[in-house]
Amino acid sequence: MTQTVETLFDTGLERYKAGESAETLIPVFKEICDRAPKNSSAWTCLAWLYLLDDKATPAFKAAQKAVKLNPQDPQARVNLAVAMLETGQKGLREHVEFAHQLIFVNPDWQEEIKTSIEDGLSRKPDWQSLIKVKGWLFPE
């Protein structure tokens, strides 16, 4: 029996939280995106995994898709900004400012983004693009 998209997603997230590598989880989230192409959360996760695995171009494409499906998702915007930095794209300020506005009005999102950034930096400590975006979103 094939797992439902929801089960696959939840299992993938649990595996990620347990410390599994981005490299092994990318195929899981690619399958979720193939099976549920309008699932913005899956695209957001896939973009993050690509970024962790130093695959900036597919990360940029996945992040664009996530933002298109859910423009109000601050994590999708953060992923897109990081991917834009890593691929040398212009226009990332708009996404950083929009993410900043979203997390400013919603304290829960602010905590989620802080947690996500810390998680990213614990997995990839010298992640310069993420460090830059963190500085823009949470200036000291």
Side-chain angles (χ1 to χ4, degrees), residues 51 77-87 127 129-130 133:
L51 286 166
R77 296 278 180 166
V78 167
N79 293 353
L80 184 56
V82 172
M84 290 174 85
L85 272 173
E86 294 190 1
T87 55
W127 193 352
S129 303
L130 186 60
V133 171

Side-chain angles (χ1 to χ4, degrees), residues 57-97:
T57 301
F60 174 67
K61 291 176 181 165
Q64 276 185 309
K65 186 104 172 164
V67 168
K68 186 176 181 185
L69 290 167
N70 185 2
Q72 304 297 317
D73 181 348
Q75 184 65 55
R77 296 278 180 166
V78 167
N79 293 353
L80 184 56
V82 172
M84 290 174 85
L85 272 173
E86 294 190 1
T87 55
Q89 305 284 328
K90 292 187 177 3
L92 69 111
R93 177 178 298 209
E94 156 197 349
H95 299 291
V96 172
E97 287 175 358

Side-chain angles (χ1 to χ4, degrees), residues 45-64:
C45 290
L46 183 60
W48 182 253
L49 292 169
Y50 277 138
L51 286 166
L52 281 169
D53 202 33
D54 297 318
K55 292 181 169 61
T57 301
F60 174 67
K61 291 176 181 165
Q64 276 185 309

Side-chain angles (χ1 to χ4, degrees), residues 5 7 22 64 89 131 135:
V5 169
T7 307
Q64 276 185 309
Q89 305 284 328
I131 292 168

